[in-house]
Amino acid sequence: MLGLALAGGCAAAVAASSRAPQPSDVAQVRLGGDQSATRVVVDLRTAVTGEEGRDSHANRIALVLRGAVTSKSMKGEGRGLVRSWRIDDAPGGARLTLELNGKAQIARRFLLPPADGVAAYRYVVDVTAPPGAAASARSAQARDVQPVAVRQISQPEAVHARKIVVIDPGHGGRDPGAAGAWSYEKNVTLATALALKAALEHTGRYQVVMTRVSDVYVPLEERVRIARKAGADLFLSLHADSGPDAAIHGASVYTLSERGEQRVGYVLGRHEWFLQEAKASDDQAVGQILLDLTQRSTRNRSAAFAQTLIEHVGDRAPLLPRSQRDAGYFVLLAPDVPAALLEMGFITNPGDEGRLNDARQRAALVGKIAQAIDGYFAAGAQLAQR
Ligand SMILES: [Zn+2]
């Protein structure tokens, strides 16, 4: 605290002595979202740590962004749950004050470092309507989970809190999915999902919920409903691809595309993995996902998970260049559940089909996916603690 306060003072003194206008670390404040969830993004020239201010109350959120220097106050109109915002100089940092349109709470807040062509640090505050509000479709279980997630921001992670992972084996029952020379997608997705469930549960860190555990048909809406009801921290859908050419092989990862949706800003836009599926896919039904079910706040968490997944899975299976993927294809998301879809390989490729149907090679893949899930949650905990 003291160190940060001194650093701020020194910076001010230097600026004053040179008579140059003192630069502000806060470049701009942007808002996105609606009445059920609103995202506030503060673009910064420096890394900060957030700390909730004492003057927060039911209709106001006050945060001190420690380490940021502001030369002048900034303010602007709100959006969604936020009526207005302002940034003021405060001891040790910049104070962000959000006046709310009624009661709302911080769902999460985190710092994103510069990346992917975005030069600024971004401090992100996701504000949600209180549980039970009309727009909230969360289950009682999800509500129980929420305060834990919020507390993690200011306290070391609650180690005992098991993350809830929903695994969705694609297809099933009368929907076989893609067909290989001698096997069906629905069977390899189920076998892999069951192995992944066992691997995750073995760690003691996860509670796994499956959208199906046998060869049954489960509609897409039902899969989403299961994820929402479970209060999932992560949703992973497993699939296997098919291609017109048996030579095409390799894994790929999809997360939600923002196509057709209003851009919030480059926070999500440039970070987004555009991982989209060929039009001819048998998985086209997945493309009929209700985009309005999704929240932008979930989007870059999904992208972070997709990135981690691809890094882990990618070192054992060649990944398709994303240029081959240019049609709309959306992973089904519940509003607050980061999600990704893994195409584990091409069942129409003899090598991939053999791998997907071999228990030992599946186990290797499962190990990589489990590592990716570990990595995703570990990174999230680090970010939340900044
Ligand atoms: Zn599929």
Side-chain angles (χ1 to χ4, degrees), residues 169-171 175-178 185-186 189 237-242 277 281-284 286 329 341-343:
H171 311 277
D175 170 18
E185 179 184 358
K186 67 173 184 177
T189 60
S237 192
L238 297 176
H239 287 254
D241 248 326
S242 64
E277 164 103 32
S281 168
D282 66 299
D283 283 337
Q284 193 60 26
V286 183
Y329 183 63
L341 185 149
L342 172 64
E343 296 276 9

Side-chain angles (χ1 to χ4, degrees), residues 13-316:
V14 169
S17 65
S18 64
R19 296 197 180 275
Q22 186 187 337
S24 173
D25 289 327
V26 180
Q28 62 172 336
V29 177
R30 296 171 293 137
L31 290 94
D34 53 31
Q35 292 291 343
S36 60
T38 304
R39 166 165 285 189
V40 181
V41 180
V42 184
D43 287 353
L44 296 151
R45 296 195 176 88
T46 183
V48 297
T49 54
E51 188 175 293
E52 202 147 352
R54 287 202 192 85
D55 44 347
S56 279
H57 55 71
N59 297 308
R60 174 187 295 157
I61 289 169
L63 282 172
V64 176
L65 305 177
R66 294 210 169 271
V69 176
T70 50
S71 52
K72 58 182 184 348
S73 293
M74 303 163 67
K75 60 183 176 181
E77 282 181 20
R79 170 178 180 149
L81 294 162
V82 177
R83 181 153 48 84
S84 65
W85 61 268
R86 62 179 295 136
I87 298 256
D88 299 295
D89 190 24
R95 182 191 295 106
L96 169 68
T97 307
L98 305 174
E99 302 293 346
L100 306 171
N101 288 315
K103 285 186 182 164
Q105 63 201 16
I106 297 176
R108 62 180 71 80
R109 50 191 173 86
F110 51 93
L111 181 73
L112 287 172
D116 293 346
V118 180
Y121 286 87
R122 289 142 295 163
Y123 197 83
V124 181
V125 184
D126 284 336
V127 181
T128 56
S136 173
R138 277 193 221 100
S139 67
Q141 191 175 3
R143 284 199 292 276
D144 289 341
V145 169
Q146 200 64 22
V148 175
V150 172
R151 274 200 302 276
Q152 280 173 8
I153 289 163
S154 52
Q155 295 171 3
E157 179 152 21
V159 179
H160 59 274
R162 286 193 300 166
K163 298 294 184 187
I164 299 168
V165 179
V166 174
I167 304 172
D168 174 44
H171 311 277
R174 61 182 158 87
D175 170 18
W182 50 275
S183 65
Y184 283 121
E185 179 184 358
K186 67 173 184 177
N187 295 324
V188 299
T189 60
L190 180 60
T192 310
L194 289 169
L196 179 59
K197 177 186 197 297
L200 291 176
E201 286 178 346
H202 184 72
T203 67
R205 291 191 295 275
Y206 302 101
Q207 180 188 336
V208 176
V209 175
M210 304 276 286
T211 57
R212 67 180 179 99
V213 291
S214 61
D215 186 15
V216 293
Y217 177 76
V218 181
L220 290 170
E221 313 82 70
E222 176 66 10
R223 294 172 196 250
V224 175
R225 203 187 62 76
I226 290 168
R228 294 171 110 182
K229 197 178 166 203
D233 294 301
L234 189 65
F235 179 92
L236 176 62
S237 192
L238 297 176
H239 287 254
D241 248 326
S242 64
D245 178 348
I248 302 175
H249 64 284
S252 47
V253 177
Y254 299 85
T255 183
L256 189 80
S257 160
E258 65 170 350
R259 173 175 294 200
E261 200 185 23
Q262 190 188 357
R263 288 170 77 91
V264 175
Y266 54 69
V267 169
L268 301 171
R270 296 218 190 136
H271 258 78
E272 196 62 58
W273 273 70
F274 283 108
L275 295 162
Q276 299 172 342
E277 164 103 32
K279 277 194 180 80
S281 168
D282 66 299
D283 283 337
Q284 193 60 26
V286 183
Q288 291 161 8
I289 283 153
L290 305 173
L291 261 176
D292 58 352
L293 273 184
T294 67
Q295 269 182 359
R296 300 175 181 92
S297 58
T298 314
R299 222 61 59 72
N300 58 356
R301 299 201 151 210
S302 298
F305 174 57
Q307 177 84 54
T308 308
L309 192 56
I310 217 87
E311 282 163 10
H312 283 84
V313 173
D315 64 15
R316 68 167 293 281

Side-chain angles (χ1 to χ4, degrees), residues 315-356:
D315 64 15
R316 68 167 293 281
L319 292 167
L320 290 177
R322 57 177 165 175
S323 60
Q324 293 190 6
R325 327 225 125 218
D326 57 359
Y329 183 63
F330 305 120
V331 173
L332 252 179
L333 293 189
D336 214 17
V337 184
L341 185 149
L342 172 64
E343 296 276 9
M344 302 180 290
F346 277 76
I347 203 164
T348 44
N349 172 265
D352 278 6
E353 184 174 23
R355 263 199 295 280
L356 292 168

